[in-house]
Amino acid sequence: MGIVAPPPSALFRLPNIVARAFSTTMSPPSKAIVYDEQGSPDAVCKVRELPPVPIKDNDVCVRMLAAPINPSDINRIEGVYPVRPPVPAIGGYEGVGEVHSVGPAVKGLGPGDWVIPSPPSSGTWQTYVVKEQSVWHRIDKSTPMEYAATITVNPLTALRMLEDFVDLKSGDAVVQNGATSIVGQCIVQLARVRGLHSINIIRDRAGSNEVKQKLKELGADEVFTESQLDVKNVKSLLADIPEPALGFNCVGGNAASLVLKFLKHGGTMVTYGGMSKKPITVSTSSFIFKDLSLRGFWLQKWMTSEKGKECRNMIDYLLSLTRSGDLKYEYDLFISVFLITISISS
Amino acid sequence: MGIVAPPPSALFRLPNIVARAFSTTMSPPSKAIVYDEQGSPDAVCKVRELPPVPIKDNDVCVRMLAAPINPSDINRIEGVYPVRPPVPAIGGYEGVGEVHSVGPAVKGLGPGDWVIPSPPSSGTWQTYVVKEQSVWHRIDKSTPMEYAATITVNPLTALRMLEDFVDLKSGDAVVQNGATSIVGQCIVQLARVRGLHSINIIRDRAGSNEVKQKLKELGADEVFTESQLDVKNVKSLLADIPEPALGFNCVGGNAASLVLKFLKHGGTMVTYGGMSKKPITVSTSSFIFKDLSLRGFWLQKWMTSEKGKECRNMIDYLLSLTRSGDLKYEYDLFISVFLITISISS
């Protein structure tokens, strides 16, 4: 099965295998996307039938409904991710499923409930996943499935980056490149919800006017292509928007330099991706005289921090925004962004 | 008078003009290095006789004993410093002097006391300086004059960079490039006093073995030339020294990358100069997966911070180290470093 060229949806809609009463203490057999060694996903990934596994006292057996292909999933398979799962491994790191059956000691979760692994947990690319109850977080079933399946890796990254680096107040501004990425779209919308202005940088390419329009409909205050910012003082392009104290970079190269140019004195740029595969280049005076700080964000690391323990409350908040329509990402865009951002872990 | 090509000592030893009782409320006439417009110091700086000025109630008239030429002094004259003094201006920003006479309301300072402007204050390149008592900080007269004149701009930068960015404990390590600069030498020695290891990077040039030896005599644990670090894993060169959580960069380019390579996960690099005139280039993964932070330090800005109010206690501490022999910098090196570091403000 080819993962590098994903299906039209970057979400697997997993086959709805009817649960059979195979055994009261065994899961149904499962179909999984497995790799026995790290390498090109095309070459190493196989669809494999896995035999039933025992459902222990505290286990929950979940029938997966949907799971995304995130770039980091590809990188894990390739073996280029800093955390390398022991092989053989099942792909996938987030997703949503329906509880199929539970072990006798499980309380508060029952068949039919929707759950996500939270923190995300490896092996979501299979039809049935059996893991301890503590892995699973029950969510509101009225949440659109696509959002439930994808709420953690990208939207939570956007939320934490907005909250954890600079103390922003309503009326403040943020600046970002790669604004069409899922994280970028989430930043636009979460900023709007927080009363923050967003300044957005996109690539020069055909259709950029349509992209600008879409981002503005999501709540973007300003959207510039990189070439529009080829001016001496980018800040002169901002009318009533204050200089941003916080910026986000998922591109590198010139697009990162543009974020730095917008930042106010003492501002912070957080890097979470490197789509262009180019490094970030910074002048000495940016550090000394402009007092800029450059940081990075990695959700998987954050999950192990003290704040990571509160991730489920944050997930519930984000899911509520998807239900109210305050947080959305377009389906087509979603896919293209996956392809684009495959390099973010490089 | 040529400032770009400083005299063998980079300290002006100012002419010892005998104080005459010109007037009880007037200073003696003063010789000063003045510039009427920004530009090349060779072209715009003149030695000028300044007439006596009134010594008001709270004023202290100080006969300057010595004042250094810091690279930032040159940059101020050139007009390339972020803070541009209004012209005409007198050069110099730090130095040491002896109290010549005081206004009638001055308490606790009298003729013969040694003082430094603290925070540093412009106009130290003159024989008599009249400023309010609040400008002057009395110091121990047993301090060697050269250290008293230069204790703020470089040694205080080293002290604050060691203290203000990462919470270090005895046994921890720091890494720096440009280790032969005055700040670099101070870092080596202040680290040793604090029980910290220092890893030092110097340029490849003739005499590097002697430079290594000198830095080790100051307390450096390890000294490498850049070419010695052209290996896959620089950390393998460290025997019993822990990976450093804090690094200092005053060079940029490859030398900055080498500092980053030594840093441990989550480490911080502080930039305070850019001798090579090359920018700092950082990979995306350094931010995301290695969680590095890049910051900057500028003493002049720090002086205006809350902590800056305590600078006199810090100066007293540093001066005590010069008197005990725990902090020193070699005279010849001092000069060459001034010339080298002229680019730090670029």
Side-chain angles (χ1 to χ4, degrees):
Chain A
M1 163 154 206
I3 288 179
V4 163
S9 159
L11 288 164
F12 286 119
R13 288 178 179 284
L14 297 164
N16 192 338
I17 296 172
V18 176
R20 288 164 293 168
F22 190 87
S23 157
T24 50
T25 58
M26 296 297 278
S27 74
S30 185
K31 274 194 182 158
I33 296 170
V34 179
Y35 52 103
D36 295 316
E37 57 183 331
Q38 266 89 16
S40 162
D42 261 345
V44 299
C45 284
K46 320 279 178 206
V47 176
R48 193 169 290 164
E49 295 268 356
L50 301 178
V53 295
I55 300 169
K56 294 187 220 117
D57 282 4
N58 288 301
D59 281 352
V60 175
C61 173
V62 174
R63 181 172 68 84
M64 293 304 293
L65 300 168
I69 306 172
N70 282 313
S72 49
D73 295 324
I74 303 295
N75 296 145
R76 280 189 191 87
I77 297 166
E78 292 170 333
V80 299
Y81 211 61
V83 179
R84 184 188 275 231
V87 287
I90 301 167
Y93 191 63
E94 65 173 342
V96 64
E98 187 179 84
V99 173
H100 170 266
S101 55
V102 301
V106 168
K107 301 238 182 310
L109 264 187
D113 283 343
W114 274 21
V115 290
I116 63 171
S118 184
S121 171
S122 62
T124 56
W125 291 353
Q126 56 181 326
T127 50
Y128 288 91
V129 179
V130 176
K131 295 205 177 191
E132 279 208 351
Q133 177 175 11
S134 61
V135 168
W136 302 104
H137 176 51
R138 186 172 60 190
I139 62 159
D140 187 324
K141 287 181 75 166
S142 68
T143 307
M145 187 193 297
E146 290 82 352
Y147 291 122
T150 59
I151 200 64
T152 307
V153 170
N154 293 296
L156 187 54
T157 291
L159 181 66
R160 292 332 311 166
M161 292 200 304
L162 271 171
E163 299 297 340
D164 291 350
F165 292 90
V166 175
D167 185 21
L168 298 171
K169 291 176 182 52
S170 182
D172 288 345
V174 297
V175 57
Q176 66 169 338
N177 60 31
T180 57
S181 71
I182 298 293
V183 172
Q185 293 179 58
C186 291
I187 283 169
V188 166
Q189 295 167 88
L190 294 174
R192 187 199 51 193
V193 169
R194 284 268 268 107
L196 303 171
H197 301 281
S198 68
I199 303 154
N200 299 275
I201 305 167
I202 61 173
R203 285 177 298 174
D204 289 274
R205 55 175 170 178
S208 63
N209 282 337
E210 289 71 22
V211 170
K212 283 184 185 183
Q213 191 52 40
K214 282 184 180 176
L215 285 170
K216 288 194 171 178
E217 282 164 12
L218 292 180
D221 292 83
E222 295 283 357
V223 187
F224 302 105
T225 61
E226 287 188 36
S227 65
Q228 278 185 284
L229 299 174
D230 191 15
V231 296
K232 183 152 185 178
N233 180 9
V234 297
K235 292 178 185 175
S236 64
L237 302 171
L238 300 178
D240 297 329
I241 301 178
E243 290 178 274
L246 179 60
F248 306 110
N249 164 47
C250 67
V251 181
N254 178 56
S257 301
L258 292 173
V259 169
L260 294 175
K261 280 185 186 171
F262 271 112
L263 285 180
K264 70 190 285 189
H265 189 280
T268 297
M269 181 172 85
V270 181
T271 289
Y272 68 97
M275 289 185 203
S276 73
K277 300 201 175 185
K278 289 179 187 153
I280 297 132
T281 300
V282 195
S283 71
T284 297
S285 63
S286 294
F287 288 117
I288 302 180
F289 301 126
K290 204 176 164 186
D291 193 25
L292 297 185
S293 292
L294 270 66
R295 309 278 302 275
F297 184 80
W298 186 23
L299 188 73
Q300 190 163 340
K301 178 84 189 329
W302 178 86
M303 282 290 181
T304 65
S305 72
E306 197 56 32
K307 276 187 187 156
K309 293 177 186 165
E310 300 162 40
C311 71
R312 292 183 179 186
N313 290 337
M314 300 167 193
I315 293 297
D316 288 343
Y317 167 69
L318 292 166
L319 289 173
S320 75
L321 293 179
T322 68
R323 291 192 299 274
S324 65
D326 288 311
L327 182 64
K328 55 192 171 190
Y329 17 89
E330 288 195 19
Y331 209 65
D332 284 338
L333 210 49
F334 195 55
I335 297 164
S336 70
V337 166
F338 269 177
L339 292 174
I340 293 162
T341 54
I342 274 185
S343 65
I344 71 167
S345 321
S346 66
Chain B
M1 163 152 206
I3 288 179
V4 163
S9 161
L11 287 162
F12 286 119
R13 291 182 178 281
L14 297 163
N16 192 336
I17 296 172
V18 176
R20 287 164 294 169
F22 192 84
S23 158
T24 50
T25 57
M26 297 297 279
S27 74
S30 186
K31 271 193 185 162
I33 297 169
V34 180
Y35 53 104
D36 294 317
E37 57 183 331
Q38 266 89 15
S40 161
D42 261 344
V44 300
C45 285
K46 319 280 178 204
V47 176
R48 194 169 288 164
E49 295 268 356
L50 301 178
V53 295
I55 300 169
K56 294 189 219 115
D57 282 5
N58 288 301
D59 281 351
V60 175
C61 173
V62 174
R63 181 172 66 88
M64 294 304 293
L65 299 169
I69 306 172
N70 282 311
S72 48
D73 295 323
I74 303 295
N75 296 146
R76 282 189 188 89
I77 296 167
E78 292 170 334
V80 299
Y81 211 61
V83 179
R84 183 188 276 231
V87 288
I90 300 167
Y93 191 63
E94 65 173 342
V96 63
E98 186 178 85
V99 173
H100 171 266
S101 55
V102 301
V106 168
K107 302 240 183 307
L109 263 188
D113 283 343
W114 275 22
V115 290
I116 63 171
S118 183
S121 172
S122 63
T124 56
W125 292 352
Q126 57 181 323
T127 50
Y128 288 91
V129 179
V130 176
K131 294 205 179 192
E132 277 208 353
Q133 177 173 11
S134 60
V135 168
W136 302 105
H137 176 51
R138 187 172 58 189
I139 63 160
D140 187 324
K141 286 180 76 166
S142 68
T143 307
M145 188 193 295
E146 290 82 353
Y147 292 122
T150 59
I151 200 66
T152 308
V153 170
N154 292 296
L156 187 54
T157 292
L159 180 67
R160 292 332 310 165
M161 292 200 304
L162 270 171
E163 299 297 340
D164 291 351
F165 292 90
V166 174
D167 185 20
L168 298 172
K169 290 175 184 52
S170 182
D172 288 346
V174 298
V175 57
Q176 66 169 339
N177 61 31
T180 57
S181 71
I182 298 293
V183 172
Q185 293 179 57
C186 291
I187 283 170
V188 167
Q189 296 168 87
L190 294 174
R192 187 199 51 192
V193 169
R194 283 268 268 108
L196 303 170
H197 301 281
S198 68
I199 302 155
N200 299 276
I201 305 168
I202 62 173
R203 286 177 297 174
D204 290 274
R205 56 175 168 176
S208 62
N209 282 337
E210 288 71 23
V211 171
K212 283 183 185 183
Q213 190 51 40
K214 282 184 180 176
L215 286 171
K216 288 194 170 176
E217 283 164 12
L218 292 179
D221 292 83
E222 295 283 358
V223 187
F224 302 105
T225 61
E226 288 189 35
S227 66
Q228 278 185 286
L229 299 174
D230 191 15
V231 296
K232 185 152 184 178
N233 180 9
V234 296
K235 291 177 186 176
S236 65
L237 301 173
L238 300 179
D240 298 329
I241 302 178
E243 291 178 274
L246 178 61
F248 305 110
N249 164 48
C250 67
V251 180
N254 177 57
S257 301
L258 292 173
V259 169
L260 295 175
K261 280 186 185 170
F262 271 112
L263 285 179
K264 71 190 285 188
H265 189 282
T268 297
M269 182 173 83
V270 181
T271 289
Y272 69 96
M275 288 185 205
S276 73
K277 300 201 176 185
K278 289 179 187 154
I280 297 132
T281 300
V282 195
S283 71
T284 298
S285 63
S286 293
F287 288 117
I288 302 179
F289 301 127
K290 204 175 163 186
D291 193 26
L292 297 185
S293 292
L294 270 66
R295 310 278 302 276
F297 182 82
W298 186 23
L299 187 74
Q300 191 164 342
K301 179 84 187 331
W302 177 88
M303 282 288 181
T304 65
S305 73
E306 198 55 34
K307 277 189 188 153
K309 292 177 186 165
E310 300 162 41
C311 71
R312 292 183 179 185
N313 291 337
M314 299 166 194
I315 292 298
D316 288 342
Y317 167 68
L318 291 167
L319 289 174
S320 75
L321 293 179
T322 68
R323 291 192 299 273
S324 65
D326 289 311
L327 182 64
K328 55 192 171 190
Y329 18 89
E330 287 195 18
Y331 208 63
D332 284 337
L333 209 49
F334 193 54
I335 297 163
S336 70
V337 166
F338 270 176
L339 292 174
I340 293 162
T341 54
I342 274 184
S343 65
I344 70 169
S345 323
S346 68

